[in-house]
Amino acid sequence: MKREGVLYIISAPSGAGKTTLCREVLDIFPRLRHSVSFTTRQIRPGELHGRDYFFISREEFLRMVEAGEFAEWAEVHGNHYGTALETLEAYRRDGIDVILDIDCQGARQLKEKYDGGVFIFILPPSFDELRRRLDGRDADSPEVIERRMGNAAGEIRESRWYDYIVVNDLFSRAVEELKSIIVAERCRTRRVLEAVSQLFDICEE
């Protein structure tokens, strides 16, 4: 059976846990891939170039923007992030489902470009918990944390236009909810019909 790959676009305020959730479901679904974004931000301890992000200079990023090499891109918290157009098109063409862990600006761009994308927003249980998680990462300065907290309210307001919202309070429950969304979307009628259209052609002969 062959169908177009499904794009699962996942957004959240920084510290809500979307990256950890994405990694968990990638382990659950062997046919699901992660789209590695390009970014100009500094690499953090434990991150790897090519696994977590492609870490590039601002000059190289802007060159790629000018060349039209991004399906979406945005400036977030003073850094640039983008998804390579060629990689995304290859996944869809080859029938490979892919998770994109991107911000709201990029998600809006993809909603305008791609019909059938599945948009999922990850919410923290509270602002207090969000701050606790950001503090606990020990990866950002107090100034950066304050900026992230300040942006969180606007990002959360954007969640209203997403297809699904998952509250990451109890991690195991959030994983089950995200897993259920992926399974349900794979069974959506039009996606299945893409793959088995030949059956219906035979039945109508």
Side-chain angles (χ1 to χ4, degrees):
M1 298 195 301
K2 184 65 180 292
R3 59 160 173 75
E4 191 175 77
V6 183
L7 304 182
Y8 295 95
I9 297 96
I10 301 183
S11 304
S14 184
K18 70 181 184 300
T19 301
T20 307
L21 281 170
C22 288
R23 287 175 180 165
E24 189 74 14
V25 295
L26 285 165
D27 288 339
I28 294 170
F29 296 99
R31 289 176 47 239
L32 186 64
R33 298 289 183 271
H34 174 236
S35 175
V36 181
S37 299
F38 288 76
T39 184
T40 60
R41 77 157 170 78
Q42 293 296 310
I43 190 169
R44 293 172 180 161
E47 290 182 328
L48 289 177
H49 177 78
R51 184 196 68 184
D52 299 286
Y53 288 97
F54 293 110
F55 296 93
I56 61 175
S57 68
R58 184 174 183 275
E59 291 72 24
E60 176 63 10
F61 191 99
L62 294 179
R63 184 203 65 75
M64 294 177 70
V65 171
E66 185 68 24
E69 296 180 22
F70 289 123
E72 61 80 22
W73 70 273
E75 183 176 353
V76 185
H77 306 305
N79 298 300
H80 291 80
Y81 297 82
T83 302
L85 177 61
E86 182 179 353
T87 301
L88 208 57
E89 290 295 335
Y91 279 135
R92 297 179 75 232
R93 183 175 59 250
D94 294 341
I96 298 172
D97 296 346
V98 59
I99 276 185
L100 292 90
D101 173 1
I102 61 177
D103 76 292
C104 300
Q105 296 177 64
R108 275 197 178 275
Q109 293 174 42
L110 291 180
K111 193 169 183 66
E112 294 173 1
K113 291 181 180 178
Y114 293 101
D115 180 41
V118 181
F119 294 82
I120 307 165
F121 199 93
I122 309 299
L123 280 177
S126 68
F127 276 103
D128 287 343
E129 176 62 16
L130 184 64
R131 180 179 291 278
R132 189 192 67 77
R133 292 176 185 178
L134 287 172
D135 288 338
R137 291 198 311 198
D138 199 28
D140 299 312
S141 67
E143 292 77 17
V144 170
I145 289 174
E146 287 304 317
R147 185 164 68 240
R148 293 185 188 278
M149 288 297 299
N151 290 336
E155 293 167 333
I156 290 171
R157 281 195 295 272
E158 290 285 310
S159 68
R160 293 187 178 95
W161 62 261
Y162 281 69
D163 299 314
Y164 300 94
I165 292 177
V166 174
V167 178
N168 187 15
D169 186 358
L170 181 63
F171 181 75
S172 59
R173 182 168 56 212
V175 169
E176 285 301 312
E177 291 178 357
L178 185 54
K179 184 173 74 171
S180 297
I181 292 167
I182 293 170
V183 171
E185 287 293 336
R186 284 180 168 180
C187 296
R188 189 175 286 274
T189 299
R190 66 179 180 81
R191 301 192 203 282
V192 176
L193 289 182
E194 285 179 21
V196 298
S197 57
Q198 186 179 13
L199 285 174
F200 287 85
D201 292 340
I202 293 172
C203 291
E204 292 172 1
E205 289 178 356

